[in-house]
Short mmCIF file of all heavy atoms in Angstrom, two decimals:
data_model
loop_
_atom_site.label_atom_id
_atom_site.label_comp_id
_atom_site.label_asym_id
_atom_site.label_seq_id
_atom_site.Cartn_x
_atom_site.Cartn_y
_atom_site.Cartn_z
N LEU V 268 -54.69 12.12 -60.65
CA LEU V 268 -54.01 12.26 -59.20
C LEU V 268 -55.06 12.40 -58.19
O LEU V 268 -55.80 13.28 -58.04
CB LEU V 268 -53.12 13.56 -59.31
CG LEU V 268 -52.12 13.71 -58.20
CD1 LEU V 268 -51.14 12.60 -58.09
CD2 LEU V 268 -51.43 15.11 -58.29
N PRO V 269 -55.04 11.50 -57.22
CA PRO V 269 -56.07 11.42 -56.19
C PRO V 269 -55.90 12.31 -54.96
O PRO V 269 -56.61 12.38 -54.06
CB PRO V 269 -56.11 10.00 -55.75
CG PRO V 269 -54.66 9.49 -55.96
CD PRO V 269 -54.23 10.34 -57.15
N PHE V 270 -54.83 13.07 -55.01
CA PHE V 270 -54.61 14.03 -53.98
C PHE V 270 -53.92 15.30 -54.43
O PHE V 270 -53.46 15.30 -55.62
CB PHE V 270 -53.67 13.35 -52.89
CG PHE V 270 -52.52 12.57 -53.47
CD1 PHE V 270 -51.54 13.25 -54.11
CD2 PHE V 270 -52.57 11.15 -53.27
CE1 PHE V 270 -50.47 12.44 -54.61
CE2 PHE V 270 -51.56 10.40 -53.86
CZ PHE V 270 -50.56 11.05 -54.48
N GLU V 271 -53.92 16.35 -53.67
CA GLU V 271 -53.19 17.53 -53.99
C GLU V 271 -51.67 17.33 -53.64
O GLU V 271 -51.34 16.75 -52.58
CB GLU V 271 -53.81 18.74 -53.13
CG GLU V 271 -53.09 19.99 -53.21
CD GLU V 271 -53.50 20.74 -54.50
OE1 GLU V 271 -54.35 20.22 -55.22
OE2 GLU V 271 -52.87 21.74 -54.80
N LEU V 272 -50.82 17.71 -54.50
CA LEU V 272 -49.41 17.58 -54.28
C LEU V 272 -49.04 18.43 -53.13
O LEU V 272 -49.57 19.58 -52.87
CB LEU V 272 -48.51 17.95 -55.44
CG LEU V 272 -48.62 17.07 -56.62
CD1 LEU V 272 -47.75 17.62 -57.77
CD2 LEU V 272 -48.24 15.55 -56.38
N THR V 273 -48.14 17.96 -52.36
CA THR V 273 -47.60 18.84 -51.19
C THR V 273 -46.75 19.96 -51.89
O THR V 273 -46.33 19.84 -53.04
CB THR V 273 -46.71 18.14 -50.22
OG1 THR V 273 -45.49 17.64 -50.93
CG2 THR V 273 -47.45 16.88 -49.66
N GLN V 276 -43.39 18.55 -53.03
CA GLN V 276 -43.57 17.87 -54.32
C GLN V 276 -43.66 18.72 -55.51
O GLN V 276 -43.00 18.60 -56.48
CB GLN V 276 -44.75 16.90 -54.30
CG GLN V 276 -44.61 15.65 -53.46
CD GLN V 276 -45.93 14.87 -53.21
OE1 GLN V 276 -46.99 15.53 -52.90
NE2 GLN V 276 -45.84 13.50 -53.39
N GLY V 299 -36.01 12.09 -50.12
CA GLY V 299 -37.32 12.35 -49.46
C GLY V 299 -37.51 11.19 -48.54
O GLY V 299 -37.32 10.06 -48.87
N ASP V 300 -37.90 11.53 -47.33
CA ASP V 300 -38.14 10.46 -46.31
C ASP V 300 -39.16 9.49 -46.83
O ASP V 300 -39.97 9.81 -47.73
CB ASP V 300 -38.65 11.20 -45.10
CG ASP V 300 -38.05 10.68 -43.83
OD1 ASP V 300 -37.52 9.52 -43.86
OD2 ASP V 300 -38.02 11.45 -42.85
N VAL V 301 -39.25 8.26 -46.20
CA VAL V 301 -40.25 7.41 -46.61
C VAL V 301 -41.63 8.04 -46.41
O VAL V 301 -41.87 8.74 -45.43
CB VAL V 301 -40.21 6.20 -45.65
CG1 VAL V 301 -39.57 4.99 -46.33
CG2 VAL V 301 -39.58 6.49 -44.24
N GLY V 302 -42.49 7.80 -47.47
CA GLY V 302 -43.85 8.25 -47.35
C GLY V 302 -43.95 9.81 -47.81
O GLY V 302 -45.04 10.36 -47.71
N SER V 303 -42.81 10.35 -48.26
CA SER V 303 -42.87 11.76 -48.65
C SER V 303 -43.52 11.98 -50.03
O SER V 303 -43.85 13.02 -50.46
CB SER V 303 -41.45 12.39 -48.56
OG SER V 303 -40.63 11.80 -49.45
N GLY V 304 -43.71 10.78 -50.72
CA GLY V 304 -44.44 10.91 -52.05
C GLY V 304 -43.49 11.06 -53.22
O GLY V 304 -43.75 11.83 -54.09
N LYS V 305 -42.45 10.26 -53.22
CA LYS V 305 -41.52 10.35 -54.28
C LYS V 305 -42.11 9.73 -55.60
O LYS V 305 -41.82 10.15 -56.72
CB LYS V 305 -40.20 9.62 -53.93
CG LYS V 305 -39.40 10.39 -52.87
CD LYS V 305 -38.10 9.65 -52.62
CE LYS V 305 -38.22 8.37 -51.89
NZ LYS V 305 -38.85 8.46 -50.44
N THR V 306 -42.93 8.72 -55.36
CA THR V 306 -43.54 7.99 -56.55
C THR V 306 -44.26 9.00 -57.50
O THR V 306 -44.08 8.88 -58.64
CB THR V 306 -44.35 6.94 -56.15
OG1 THR V 306 -43.83 6.18 -55.08
CG2 THR V 306 -44.76 5.99 -57.18
N ALA V 307 -45.03 9.87 -56.83
CA ALA V 307 -45.81 10.80 -57.67
C ALA V 307 -44.99 11.73 -58.36
O ALA V 307 -45.17 12.03 -59.69
CB ALA V 307 -46.76 11.53 -56.81
N VAL V 308 -43.83 12.13 -57.78
CA VAL V 308 -42.90 12.96 -58.45
C VAL V 308 -42.20 12.29 -59.60
O VAL V 308 -42.12 12.93 -60.67
CB VAL V 308 -41.83 13.53 -57.47
CG1 VAL V 308 -40.73 14.25 -58.15
CG2 VAL V 308 -42.48 14.39 -56.47
N HIS V 336 -43.52 -0.74 -57.17
CA HIS V 336 -43.57 0.49 -58.04
C HIS V 336 -44.53 0.26 -59.19
O HIS V 336 -45.32 1.15 -59.45
CB HIS V 336 -42.17 0.77 -58.62
CG HIS V 336 -41.27 1.49 -57.63
ND1 HIS V 336 -41.77 2.65 -56.90
CD2 HIS V 336 -40.09 1.37 -57.36
CE1 HIS V 336 -40.71 3.08 -56.13
NE2 HIS V 336 -39.67 2.34 -56.41
N SER V 339 -48.02 0.49 -57.67
CA SER V 339 -48.59 1.67 -57.30
C SER V 339 -48.69 2.69 -58.52
O SER V 339 -49.64 3.47 -58.53
CB SER V 339 -47.74 2.34 -56.19
OG SER V 339 -46.41 2.20 -56.45
N LEU V 343 -52.35 4.25 -60.18
CA LEU V 343 -52.55 5.81 -60.44
C LEU V 343 -52.93 6.14 -61.83
O LEU V 343 -53.58 7.13 -62.06
CB LEU V 343 -51.30 6.57 -60.11
CG LEU V 343 -50.93 6.77 -58.56
CD1 LEU V 343 -49.67 7.36 -58.47
CD2 LEU V 343 -52.04 7.69 -57.91
N ASP V 400 -34.36 4.31 -58.35
CA ASP V 400 -34.74 4.32 -56.96
C ASP V 400 -33.69 3.77 -56.07
O ASP V 400 -33.00 2.78 -56.46
CB ASP V 400 -36.02 3.56 -56.77
CG ASP V 400 -36.66 3.89 -55.47
OD1 ASP V 400 -36.42 4.91 -54.89
OD2 ASP V 400 -37.61 3.00 -55.12
N MET V 426 -33.51 8.67 -56.84
CA MET V 426 -34.33 8.90 -55.68
C MET V 426 -33.89 8.11 -54.53
O MET V 426 -33.59 6.88 -54.65
CB MET V 426 -35.83 8.52 -56.05
CG MET V 426 -36.27 9.25 -57.19
SD MET V 426 -38.01 9.56 -57.11
CE MET V 426 -38.57 7.84 -57.21
N ALA V 428 -34.60 7.20 -50.32
CA ALA V 428 -35.44 7.35 -49.17
C ALA V 428 -34.57 7.26 -48.02
O ALA V 428 -35.05 7.38 -46.87
CB ALA V 428 -36.41 6.15 -49.13
N ILE V 448 -37.52 16.63 -50.78
CA ILE V 448 -38.98 16.62 -50.44
C ILE V 448 -38.92 16.59 -48.88
O ILE V 448 -38.91 15.56 -48.25
CB ILE V 448 -39.70 15.47 -50.99
CG1 ILE V 448 -39.45 15.24 -52.51
CG2 ILE V 448 -41.14 15.56 -50.83
CD1 ILE V 448 -40.25 14.14 -53.17
N LEU V 451 -44.20 15.99 -45.43
CA LEU V 451 -45.06 14.75 -45.58
C LEU V 451 -46.40 15.27 -46.04
O LEU V 451 -46.83 16.31 -45.58
CB LEU V 451 -45.11 14.02 -44.27
CG LEU V 451 -43.85 13.29 -43.83
CD1 LEU V 451 -44.12 12.40 -42.61
CD2 LEU V 451 -43.34 12.36 -44.90
N PRO V 452 -47.18 14.41 -46.73
CA PRO V 452 -48.50 14.80 -47.03
C PRO V 452 -49.29 15.15 -45.78
O PRO V 452 -49.24 14.55 -44.86
CB PRO V 452 -49.07 13.56 -47.85
CG PRO V 452 -47.96 12.83 -48.39
CD PRO V 452 -46.83 13.20 -47.42
N ALA V 453 -50.24 16.08 -46.08
CA ALA V 453 -51.00 16.53 -44.94
C ALA V 453 -51.86 15.35 -44.40
O ALA V 453 -52.31 14.49 -45.19
CB ALA V 453 -51.92 17.67 -45.36
N ARG V 455 -51.27 13.13 -42.45
CA ARG V 455 -50.44 11.99 -42.06
C ARG V 455 -50.21 12.10 -40.57
O ARG V 455 -49.60 13.14 -40.08
CB ARG V 455 -49.10 11.99 -42.79
CG ARG V 455 -48.36 10.75 -42.93
CD ARG V 455 -48.96 9.57 -43.62
NE ARG V 455 -49.17 9.83 -45.14
CZ ARG V 455 -48.24 9.79 -46.06
NH1 ARG V 455 -47.00 9.57 -45.67
NH2 ARG V 455 -48.50 9.90 -47.24
N ASN V 559 -45.23 -2.13 -49.15
CA ASN V 559 -46.19 -1.11 -48.86
C ASN V 559 -47.57 -1.73 -48.50
O ASN V 559 -48.23 -2.13 -49.33
CB ASN V 559 -46.28 -0.11 -50.00
CG ASN V 559 -47.18 1.04 -49.66
OD1 ASN V 559 -47.60 1.34 -48.49
ND2 ASN V 559 -47.57 1.81 -50.72
N PRO V 561 -50.67 -0.42 -46.48
CA PRO V 561 -51.10 0.68 -45.66
C PRO V 561 -51.85 0.29 -44.47
O PRO V 561 -51.97 1.03 -43.54
CB PRO V 561 -51.98 1.33 -46.67
CG PRO V 561 -51.62 0.97 -48.02
CD PRO V 561 -51.08 -0.51 -47.88
N GLY V 584 -40.51 3.29 -41.18
CA GLY V 584 -41.22 3.80 -42.34
C GLY V 584 -42.15 2.87 -43.09
O GLY V 584 -43.05 3.20 -43.94
N ARG V 585 -42.11 1.60 -42.72
CA ARG V 585 -43.10 0.64 -43.17
C ARG V 585 -44.48 0.83 -42.76
O ARG V 585 -45.45 0.37 -43.30
CB ARG V 585 -42.69 -0.84 -42.89
CG ARG V 585 -41.37 -1.21 -43.43
CD ARG V 585 -41.27 -1.15 -44.97
NE ARG V 585 -40.45 -0.10 -45.32
CZ ARG V 585 -40.65 0.69 -46.41
NH1 ARG V 585 -41.56 0.35 -47.27
NH2 ARG V 585 -39.80 1.60 -46.70
N ARG V 588 -48.51 4.39 -43.20
CA ARG V 588 -48.69 4.66 -44.71
C ARG V 588 -50.21 4.92 -44.97
O ARG V 588 -50.52 5.39 -46.07
CB ARG V 588 -48.23 3.51 -45.48
CG ARG V 588 -46.78 3.12 -45.11
CD ARG V 588 -46.09 2.46 -46.27
NE ARG V 588 -44.84 3.07 -46.39
CZ ARG V 588 -44.18 3.25 -47.64
NH1 ARG V 588 -44.63 2.70 -48.65
NH2 ARG V 588 -43.08 3.88 -47.67
P1 ADP S 801 -42.13 7.31 -50.88
O1 ADP S 801 -41.52 8.66 -50.88
O2 ADP S 801 -41.77 6.57 -49.66
O3 ADP S 801 -41.80 6.61 -52.13
P2 ADP S 801 -44.75 7.10 -51.88
O4 ADP S 801 -44.61 7.82 -53.14
O5 ADP S 801 -44.90 5.60 -51.82
O6 ADP S 801 -43.64 7.55 -50.86
O7 ADP S 801 -46.09 7.76 -51.15
C1 ADP S 801 -46.46 7.22 -49.90
C2 ADP S 801 -48.03 7.31 -49.87
O8 ADP S 801 -48.46 8.61 -49.81
C3 ADP S 801 -48.70 6.61 -51.09
O9 ADP S 801 -49.76 5.95 -50.62
C4 ADP S 801 -49.12 7.93 -51.87
O10 ADP S 801 -50.25 7.57 -52.59
C5 ADP S 801 -49.44 8.96 -50.83
N1 ADP S 801 -49.16 10.27 -51.25
C6 ADP S 801 -48.17 10.84 -51.99
N2 ADP S 801 -48.28 12.12 -52.21
C7 ADP S 801 -49.45 12.54 -51.54
C8 ADP S 801 -49.99 13.68 -51.33
N3 ADP S 801 -49.49 14.89 -51.85
N4 ADP S 801 -51.14 13.73 -50.55
C9 ADP S 801 -51.57 12.69 -50.02
N5 ADP S 801 -51.03 11.41 -50.23
C10 ADP S 801 -49.92 11.37 -50.98
#
Side-chain angles (χ1 to χ4, degrees):
L268 192 63
F270 41 70
E271 177 75 6
L272 290 180
T273 63
Q276 284 170 316
D300 224 334
V301 258
S303 60
K305 291 183 291 295
T306 315
V308 170
H336 279 311
S339 43
L343 282 172
D400 197 20
M426 306 211 293
I448 309 183
L451 293 182
R455 199 68 64 73
N559 185 10
R585 295 303 107 207
R588 311 205 131 210

